[in-house]
Amino acid sequence: KRRIRIARGLEPADLCLVNGRVINVFSGDVHSGNVAIAGGRIVGVGDYKAKEVLDMKGAYIAPGFVEAHIHIESSMLTPI
């Protein structure tokens, strides 16, 4: 619930990466923008208030690689 409130701009994010070039891994486009982070997760891209601000000075911002392929029966993990 907290991350939703932050994404809606109702609370400040923990961290906001500003003045970065955000890579859209779906389209391959690169956009100038800011990334809000709360609880170690990205909660939004846009203009956000934050407790801490980090100026990216034009550096690229890309989501980390996530391997979605798991074997439920052997990993004992549950898909979410």
Side-chain angles (χ1 to χ4, degrees):
K1 291 181 181 182
R2 177 177 175 261
R3 287 192 297 257
I4 292 171
R5 288 193 307 271
I6 293 168
R8 295 180 62 203
L10 302 175
E11 290 184 31
D14 298 333
L15 172 66
C16 191
L17 307 176
V18 300
N19 302 319
R21 290 184 275 180
V22 182
I23 299 171
N24 182 330
V25 296
F26 295 110
S27 68
D29 295 330
V30 178
H31 308 275
S32 296
N34 306 326
V35 177
I37 300 171
R41 296 186 185 234
I42 295 172
V43 294
V45 176
D47 294 324
Y48 286 91
K49 302 271 189 223
K51 297 173 186 173
E52 182 179 353
V53 175
L54 180 60
D55 188 347
M56 299 302 292
K57 300 178 183 173
Y60 289 97
I61 302 171
F65 178 74
V66 177
E67 172 58 78
H69 173 209
I70 63 170
H71 291 264
I72 297 168
E73 71 285 351
S74 60
S75 68
M76 304 297 282
L77 297 173
T78 57
I80 53 173

